[in-house]
Amino acid sequence: MTSKLTLDLIITWTKQTSKNYRLLLIVMLLAIPVSVLLNVKMISSSYLTPTYTGIENYSLINNLIAKEGDKSSAIDNYLVDPIIAKWPSLKVIYEESTSLKLTGPENSNVISVSFFSGGYSTLGINAFKGTLKALEFPTNGSDLVAAISYSYWQSKYKGKEVINTILPLNGKAVKIVAIMPENFTAFNKQYKTDVVIPYSQKLTLIENTSNDITPNTFSYLLGSSQHLAHFSLHAKTYLSNELLITDDIDIVMNNAIGINNSKYQKISKRIDILVIIFSILLVFCFVSFITFYVGEYASKSNELSIRGLCGASKKQLLFQRAVENTLLIILITIVCIAILPIGKMIVHSMLPTVNFSDVDVPTLSFLKLILCLTLLITLIMAITFFIQETFISKNIGRGENITLSQKLQSYILLSFLLSVAIVSIFISLELLSAQKKLNENDNGFITNNRYIASFELPKTVQTQIANSDTGKLLVNRLENIPNVQSAALTLMAPFANSSSFFQWYTVDDHPVGSGINSQTVSDRVSPNYFTAIGATFVKGKSFSWQSSNSIVVNHTLWQRYFKGLDLYNAKLIMKTRNKNGVIKEHPFQIIGVVKDIYIAGPDVQPNAIVYALTNFLVGAEAIIIHSSNDEKTLKNAVTAQLNTLDVSFKKLELTSLGSLVEIDNQPRNAILLTTIIATLTITISSIIFCLSTVNQIVEKSARAYAINKMLGATNFRVMTFEARFLMAIFLPIVFLSIFIQLYYALQANFIAANINLTTLVSITITVIAFILAALYININNKLHNSWHYLT
Amino acid sequence: MTSSLMQINNLNYCFPKAATNTLKNITMSINKGEYLSIVGTSGSGKSTLLSILGLINQPSSGEYLILGRNTTNLTNKSISLIKNNEIGFIFQNFNLLNQFSVYDNVALPLSYNPAIKRNEYKEKVISALSLVNMSNFQDRMPGQLSGGQQQRIAIARALVNSPSIILADEPTGNLDSENSRQVFELIKKLNKTGITICLITHDINYAEQADTVFEMQDGELTAKKNTLSEV
Ligand SMILES: Nc1ncnc2c1ncn2[C@@H]1O[C@H](COP(=O)(O)OP(=O)(O)O)[C@@H](O)[C@H]1O
Ligand SMILES: [Mg+2]
């Protein structure tokens, strides 16, 4: 084809398109969901494929999680052998990040250490210098080896030769055998690791520890994606049938590396909701786009036949279609790219906890993005072309009268679009009510006049104050501040993401919290914690400073282990291990059951929690203060009181609990708002589409109606006839389509299994009533001046 | 060299799936510079004959020579080229593109003419528009023009590539008598400049002004008047 023709076509297309506001609007509508979904894709892929680990082959590793109720942890050691026996091609690896003391002569810095089992060659982690061979699953008792991180090498050794030198760590000599790749930061998203040491050497390096997994331990499964998939399918059955592990424990896997499962769940839940909303919007816009595109075909084919008369060959006409479709793809691509920042804003508002500077746009290269778009739009074109060629080109009649197949086609499209609208409105309403419920959820605490103070205790003084009653002293001082109603200490401040664990058992030696390992979430609080935070007691009351053998549990724990029992009979045993590894048991009496406190927000179900008395400060506490003072006055007063203690507190921060709740609510409100906007967009555009389709059909059928009326049919009969025809097409398509859509929505866990039929039926009936009313009013108007259509 | 522009010998045409031939054993010739008109009752096959002459439909049997070349041997590409260079169409319903401006409508055939460069478009369009006295309307949209004006735009589009022949199918069918008169005057004027005209019309008065008048009846063609015929 000549460049002249191409240029002509481009100019003509540009002129035509710039005047075609409906097309521009639809392109915009198409671009918004596409750009949001692209953003979500970028975020989840950067979240799920963390480049900070230096891993190249992400598909070969899965996070392996033992889940009991709402508690997630790494899987226990004793499960590893049975798993490997059953799936010999898989490997279980552990990772634990912690801090250790350097014991060199010149300094005694604390450095960040990551214990990692191995699998470097499988994962494609290649040493920057030296070799990681010695770190690949070394046997117990082998010489201590380590790989240091690139940044540690730069800062500590200034890039000098270090391979085969000795790192004095925790009083032991560790040989540096490699430098980790430059892009390795840590295996745990919250750490910046300096030194990597084989997991099997943890016991050698640190005495007095057990090989038990800790809340900070991650377990991973290594293997080909097929084997991982097979494991994921059959693990649960195998574990419960052959290993007789209790049914409460579930083995789950996810793609995240070094991310706490509950955080992962929270974020992926929000990402899911985003994907739902904007997928619905995309499907809807997709359908309207096709409808629009098909609708344009009549005038387009007229144009093409006139061009044929002017001497355009078939090839040239085909070329014109190709040019125009390409231009449309380019237009959509440009609009999508222009709208990407808006999409980013929307996504950001819902995932404030994701650090967006981590999101690496260039990794999902720009070309890939355009390719995705082109594929998507080419698909639309192909579908449209198919529809056009198979159904429509034959329908272009000579006269003004609408043909049966034109009517059929319009009604089918209308039915399909409305069925999408019905389902999307339904899902949106469900989402809205779920979000609304969350926002109205009883948090179990009161935000009014509540403040959280956090502080840092210098490490050197920590031992000084242990075993003294500094805690009690501190609380008393604070409560003496005027207008302070109560003050209390806790290890787990609301929204602080901190948790503490102890090993609790029931009297019949049942571990509390998890059947695999006995890490129980346990808070240490001062007696008036519950008053200070405004929690209410279901049973009993709080302990006092004196009652050191009493504990309070939350409602979840009570329901799980003591349901129906009297407080009097409720006891728990705490087990501790002393320096020589001997286990000691301490019995505690439960004297109160407190309503669940949702310290991580309403969408995170609280664990079973034990509240025990804190008798001394450990430095990780936060202070909850109930005070009618304003924030500034309170902060000054608290600072003053803290200074009267002989212990030096640093970095005092005071935050109102209300503001934390607000921050936590933000993403939910954003989801709420987006859902409402998406639903409104869908509703309004389907109303407009419905009205214009009905109007067009009635307009084109006006002559037929008029003839019928002339022949003696009443207005009502004419209308009923048309309505029956519409419903005969509408009802089966809508029901079938709704059924299919809900089926897939259920499969993808987009909606709850107990579908709210009343809502669904009411929406459907409303839509049917609307479309019938539109039809009746339109026909009625036409029949009023029916004579016009006959003369 | 013969002065025959188009020559049809024993041509039959049958629409796909139709029972009988719509055009029956037609023989005719159109000479360069001739003004020819065809009359006949509705449904007699006039438009069908024009579609054969305009290379829109291919004859079912018989011969059709254009400028001495047998059309059955022509490729799609050369057919398109002949349509573009040699033939201009005018229809009863104008067939303008309503979403295109007057200028763009007239310029449409130029895109498919390899002999014309883009920078010649303007001159070509303006000269075609001034031939039909519409040069002041190039920025209008067709919807903003009267029927007579629209038909003149359509004629300008037919003329823009300087064709040898104009095929006009009831060009005044949708026009009032004054506008019809103007269009016929225009057609006559074009014939004077050397363009061959083949005109289908109901208006017997205007038809009679042609050099040659054919009558079509039930798919058969008979000569009524033949002032210039050498036969
Ligand atoms: N696409 C078609 N398929 C079948 N028959 C057709 C088609 N178009 C026209 N005809 C028939 O061919 C005959 C001639 O039609 P046409 O050439 O349009 O007549 P005229 O232009 O003289 O009024 C008519 O009987 C008409 O019904
Ligand atoms: Mg005709």
Side-chain angles (χ1 to χ4, degrees):
Chain A
M1 298 303 145
T2 61
S3 57
K4 182 183 87 167
L5 177 61
T6 317
L7 195 58
D8 284 353
L9 290 174
I10 292 176
I11 291 173
T12 316
W13 183 87
T14 315
K15 262 193 219 165
Q16 295 302 316
T17 306
S18 63
K19 283 186 289 184
N20 196 341
Y21 298 113
R22 260 189 80 196
L23 175 69
L24 292 176
L25 194 75
I26 286 189
V27 166
M28 283 276 283
L29 273 178
L30 199 62
I32 291 175
V34 167
S35 79
V36 170
L37 290 175
L38 277 174
N39 267 295
V40 168
K41 173 95 187 60
M42 281 192 259
I43 282 159
S44 60
S45 71
S46 84
Y47 203 70
L48 296 180
T49 53
T51 38
Y52 56 82
T53 55
I55 296 176
E56 301 286 339
N57 311 323
Y58 300 114
S59 61
L60 301 180
I61 180 167
N62 263 195
N63 196 350
L64 189 58
I65 301 148
K67 206 160 175 264
E68 191 193 8
D70 14 272
K71 187 175 178 249
S72 310
S73 64
I75 65 154
D76 238 336
N77 291 317
Y78 73 88
L79 284 175
V80 175
D81 287 341
I83 287 176
I84 300 307
K86 172 89 178 170
W87 288 276
S89 54
L90 295 178
K91 266 193 181 116
V92 177
I93 57 175
Y94 283 103
E95 192 278 332
E96 188 184 336
S97 290
T98 183
S99 309
L100 279 181
K101 248 184 190 160
L102 270 183
T103 44
E106 73 275 21
N107 56 14
S108 57
N109 279 341
V110 172
I111 60 166
S112 174
V113 175
S114 171
F115 294 107
F116 190 75
S117 301
Y120 300 93
S121 63
T122 316
L123 293 170
I125 304 174
N126 300 311
F128 179 78
K129 259 195 165 96
T131 163
L132 293 164
K133 255 190 208 119
L135 280 88
E136 295 271 24
F137 310 103
T139 49
N140 231 329
S142 51
D143 289 343
L144 291 172
V145 286
I148 61 172
S149 77
Y150 181 85
S151 63
Y152 187 66
W153 178 52
Q154 289 296 326
S155 63
K156 173 86 189 299
Y157 295 95
K158 307 279 179 275
K160 279 183 282 197
E161 191 54 59
V162 280
I163 305 297
N164 290 332
T165 58
I166 298 296
L167 185 72
L169 200 57
N170 211 30
K172 307 262 162 39
V174 182
K175 188 161 96 178
I176 298 174
V177 293
I179 295 167
M180 292 296 281
E182 243 182 296
N183 57 351
F184 167 86
T185 314
F187 290 117
N188 185 323
K189 198 173 172 106
Q190 290 180 329
Y191 283 80
K192 196 169 165 289
T193 297
D194 298 318
V195 177
V196 182
I197 292 171
Y199 188 80
S200 59
Q201 297 181 339
K202 178 181 147 193
L203 277 182
T204 324
L205 195 61
I206 316 169
E207 302 100 351
N208 307 331
T209 50
S210 72
N211 223 353
D212 288 346
I213 56 158
T214 72
N216 220 6
T217 311
F218 286 89
S219 51
Y220 299 97
L221 204 56
L222 229 60
S224 72
S225 12
Q226 290 101 307
H227 288 136
L228 289 176
H230 186 269
F231 175 84
S232 151
L233 270 179
H234 303 288
K236 171 90 173 112
T237 341
Y238 171 67
L239 293 180
S240 57
N241 292 355
E242 293 179 43
L243 299 181
L244 303 176
I245 298 202
T246 88
D247 275 348
D248 309 345
I249 297 160
D250 207 358
I251 301 286
V252 292
M253 307 212 289
N254 69 37
N255 293 319
I257 296 172
I259 295 164
N260 173 308
N261 189 46
S262 67
K263 194 173 176 191
Y264 172 79
Q265 295 295 343
K266 196 166 176 169
I267 288 195
S268 57
K269 213 189 274 170
R270 282 187 194 151
I271 287 184
D272 283 351
I273 292 178
L274 268 179
V275 170
I276 297 171
I277 299 173
F278 286 95
S279 303
I280 293 172
L281 207 59
L282 184 64
V283 170
F284 188 82
C285 296
F286 194 83
V287 174
S288 356
F289 185 79
I290 292 176
T291 317
F292 171 79
Y293 203 71
V294 168
E296 293 271 277
Y297 189 76
S299 68
K300 195 87 234 173
S301 72
N302 180 39
E303 181 194 323
L304 294 184
S305 62
I306 289 174
R307 280 176 184 272
L309 288 177
C310 293
S313 68
K314 277 212 173 94
K315 245 190 215 158
Q316 285 170 323
L317 293 180
L318 216 65
F319 176 69
Q320 180 179 353
R321 301 294 294 181
V323 168
E324 289 177 346
N325 287 352
T326 312
L327 288 171
L328 190 58
I329 289 175
I330 294 173
L331 174 71
I332 296 177
T333 312
I334 291 173
V335 175
C336 279
I337 291 167
I339 278 183
L340 267 181
I342 298 180
K344 188 164 181 171
M345 254 162 54
I346 295 174
V347 179
H348 189 99
S349 68
M350 292 179 202
L351 300 167
T353 46
V354 175
N355 184 357
F356 272 70
S357 57
D358 284 1
V359 177
D360 224 1
V361 184
T363 48
L364 186 99
S365 70
F366 207 62
L367 272 177
K368 216 160 138 193
L369 185 147
I370 290 180
L371 194 77
C372 284
L373 272 173
T374 312
L375 280 178
L376 182 79
I377 292 154
T378 316
L379 189 74
I380 301 181
M381 301 293 175
I383 293 172
T384 321
F385 195 74
F386 173 76
I387 294 178
Q388 286 170 349
E389 292 308 305
T390 40
F391 298 115
I392 300 178
S393 49
K394 293 165 198 132
N395 298 340
I396 293 157
R398 287 182 143 188
E400 275 290 296
N401 284 348
I402 189 165
T403 62
L404 188 67
S405 60
Q406 266 176 318
K407 211 169 179 175
L408 213 64
Q409 169 216 322
S410 300
Y411 280 163
I412 289 173
L413 275 172
L414 179 68
S415 310
F416 186 60
L417 196 73
L418 287 181
S419 75
V420 174
I422 289 171
V423 172
S424 58
I425 292 171
F426 171 69
I427 294 182
S428 306
L429 285 180
E430 295 284 283
L431 264 179
L432 281 180
S433 76
Q435 292 291 324
K436 199 166 147 265
K437 243 183 234 157
L438 277 181
N439 276 4
E440 289 167 355
N441 198 350
D442 177 12
N443 278 329
F445 59 82
I446 297 171
T447 53
N448 197 16
N449 286 341
R450 258 66 177 194
Y451 298 90
I452 298 171
S454 66
F455 53 85
E456 263 181 26
L457 216 50
K459 283 203 166 117
T460 46
V461 298
Q462 278 179 28
T463 39
Q464 285 174 30
I465 55 171
N467 294 320
S468 71
D469 54 357
T470 351
K472 187 176 170 184
L473 203 63
L474 176 63
V475 169
N476 282 340
R477 294 267 170 96
L478 290 176
E479 287 189 337
N480 281 336
I481 298 173
N483 293 326
V484 166
Q485 279 75 32
S486 53
L489 297 168
T490 172
L491 284 177
M492 290 161 52
F495 306 105
N497 270 333
S498 58
S499 48
S500 91
F501 297 85
F502 291 95
Q503 302 193 322
W504 289 94
Y505 290 81
T506 57
V507 279
D508 45 359
D509 214 27
H510 218 79
V512 173
S514 163
I516 293 180
N517 55 81
S518 47
Q519 298 288 348
T520 315
V521 183
S522 339
D523 196 1
R524 285 192 169 270
V525 297
S526 58
N528 47 1
Y529 167 72
F530 306 100
T531 328
I533 204 166
T536 44
F537 275 85
V538 181
K539 269 180 205 286
K541 54 177 180 21
S542 181
F543 34 73
S544 68
W545 286 108
Q546 283 73 42
S547 48
S548 55
N549 287 325
S550 306
I551 49 172
V552 169
V553 299
N554 72 349
H555 195 234
T556 296
L557 190 148
W558 182 263
Q559 290 297 96
R560 205 177 286 169
Y561 302 98
F562 301 101
K563 200 174 174 182
L565 279 179
D566 280 337
L567 273 178
Y568 177 77
N569 292 320
K571 281 192 173 56
L572 282 177
I573 317 284
M574 182 167 82
K575 293 189 184 177
T576 54
R577 204 191 288 258
N578 74 0
K579 282 209 166 201
N580 308 319
V582 180
I583 291 170
K584 232 180 124 185
E585 298 193 353
H586 318 265
F588 282 81
Q589 173 69 43
I590 300 177
I591 60 160
V593 179
V594 73
K595 251 193 182 167
D596 286 343
I597 304 174
Y598 287 70
I599 52 165
D603 47 359
V604 180
Q605 190 63 35
N607 294 306
I609 300 180
V610 177
Y611 296 93
L613 181 67
T614 178
N615 13 44
F616 50 86
L617 286 178
V618 294
E621 288 88 351
I623 309 167
I624 312 272
I625 303 170
H626 177 196
S627 162
S628 42
N629 283 324
D630 67 79
E631 205 167 320
K632 206 169 163 204
T633 323
L634 186 64
K635 187 171 178 178
N636 291 337
V638 171
T639 313
Q641 285 304 322
L642 290 181
N643 287 339
T644 62
L645 292 168
D646 47 355
V647 174
S648 56
F649 292 92
K650 289 199 301 190
K651 284 196 192 164
L652 181 86
E653 303 246 14
L654 195 76
T655 330
S656 82
L657 192 48
S659 68
L660 290 179
V661 170
E662 233 164 67
I663 291 169
D664 184 65
N665 276 339
Q666 259 168 22
R668 268 189 302 283
N669 292 337
I671 290 174
L672 220 62
L673 191 70
T674 315
T675 315
I676 291 172
I677 290 173
T679 317
L680 279 181
T681 314
I682 290 173
T683 312
I684 291 171
S685 38
S686 43
I687 287 175
I688 292 172
F689 180 80
C690 178
L691 288 179
S692 76
T693 308
V694 167
N695 192 29
Q696 267 175 34
I697 287 176
V698 169
E699 179 71 47
K700 284 186 185 164
S701 316
R703 234 171 77 88
Y705 299 151
I707 291 171
N708 273 319
K709 198 183 171 189
M710 192 184 70
L711 295 178
T714 59
N715 281 9
F716 185 74
R717 246 195 82 91
V718 174
M719 293 190 287
T720 321
F721 189 78
E722 189 67 60
R724 252 195 252 155
F725 183 73
L726 168 62
M727 283 301 130
I729 299 162
F730 185 80
L731 293 177
I733 292 183
V734 165
F735 284 131
L736 192 69
S737 163
I738 288 180
F739 181 79
I740 294 172
Q741 290 178 65
L742 287 182
Y743 176 78
Y744 281 105
L746 273 173
Q747 293 281 302
N749 276 329
F750 276 10
I751 46 174
N754 52 336
I755 289 175
N756 191 341
L757 270 182
T758 332
T759 318
L760 188 60
V761 170
S762 350
I763 299 170
T764 315
I765 289 176
T766 314
V767 169
I768 293 176
F770 179 80
I771 182 174
L772 285 179
L775 193 69
Y776 274 48
I777 291 169
N778 257 299
I779 295 180
N780 215 6
N781 285 344
K782 285 278 139 35
L783 288 178
H784 269 310
N785 47 5
S786 63
W787 193 243
H788 168 78
Y789 292 95
L790 290 176
T791 50
Chain B
M1 198 192 119
T2 169
S3 63
S4 168
L5 182 65
M6 291 166 167
Q7 177 69 46
I8 287 180
N9 297 322
N10 306 322
L11 177 138
N12 288 296
Y13 183 77
C14 181
F15 278 107
K17 289 181 193 163
T20 56
N21 282 352
T22 303
L23 299 180
K24 294 162 191 160
N25 199 26
I26 289 176
T27 300
M28 75 182 286
S29 114
I30 302 173
N31 295 326
K32 276 184 187 159
E34 189 176 356
Y35 183 178
L36 180 147
S37 69
I38 303 173
V39 292
T41 50
S42 176
S44 57
K46 305 181 298 289
S47 298
T48 311
L49 178 59
L50 212 67
S51 76
I52 303 264
L53 289 172
L55 293 167
I56 296 166
N57 287 323
Q58 295 275 323
S60 308
S61 70
E63 230 184 6
Y64 173 27
L65 304 160
I66 186 161
L67 290 162
R69 297 158 77 187
N70 195 329
T71 55
T72 40
N73 303 328
L74 291 176
T75 59
N76 274 337
K77 194 177 167 188
S78 27
I79 285 179
S80 297
L81 260 181
I82 291 172
K83 272 200 259 183
N84 184 257
N85 287 328
E86 309 292 347
I87 304 172
F89 289 95
I90 311 171
F91 299 93
Q92 178 177 356
N93 59 355
F94 323 135
N95 273 335
L96 294 175
L97 290 171
N98 288 327
Q99 68 274 27
F100 282 44
S101 69
V102 164
Y103 180 94
D104 289 337
N105 265 294
V106 176
L108 209 57
L110 298 175
S111 292
Y112 304 101
N113 187 346
I116 289 174
K117 296 194 198 75
R118 291 204 82 248
N119 56 17
E120 299 170 68
Y121 280 16
K122 189 146 196 138
E123 183 204 320
K124 290 273 173 193
V125 172
I126 303 248
S127 78
L129 280 174
S130 43
L131 268 179
V132 298
N133 275 330
M134 290 293 290
S135 34
N136 294 333
F137 294 86
Q138 49 170 310
D139 294 327
R140 295 270 193 101
M141 300 306 281
Q144 301 166 325
L145 301 175
S146 75
Q149 289 171 321
Q150 289 193 38
Q151 190 59 293
R152 283 192 280 162
I153 302 300
I155 295 173
R157 183 179 66 193
L159 290 173
V160 76
N161 267 331
S162 324
S164 312
I165 184 168
I166 285 193
L167 301 176
D169 189 346
E170 295 185 32
T172 58
N174 275 348
L175 302 177
D176 58 44
S177 57
E178 174 51 25
N179 274 311
S180 299
R181 195 189 58 77
Q182 286 182 14
V183 167
F184 281 125
E185 290 301 315
L186 185 56
I187 289 176
K188 220 154 129 195
K189 189 178 109 191
L190 293 174
N191 179 246
K192 294 259 158 62
T193 67
I195 299 175
T196 314
I197 306 285
C198 177
L199 168 78
I200 293 175
T201 181
H202 276 309
D203 199 318
I204 199 75
N205 291 329
Y206 290 113
E208 293 290 343
Q209 297 180 15
D211 304 331
T212 313
V213 182
F214 281 103
E215 183 170 2
M216 189 110 206
Q217 223 165 20
D218 221 3
E220 291 176 48
L221 197 68
T222 47
K224 262 188 94 181
K225 169 189 166 190
N226 207 337
T227 48
L228 291 184
S229 174
E230 297 105 305
V231 183

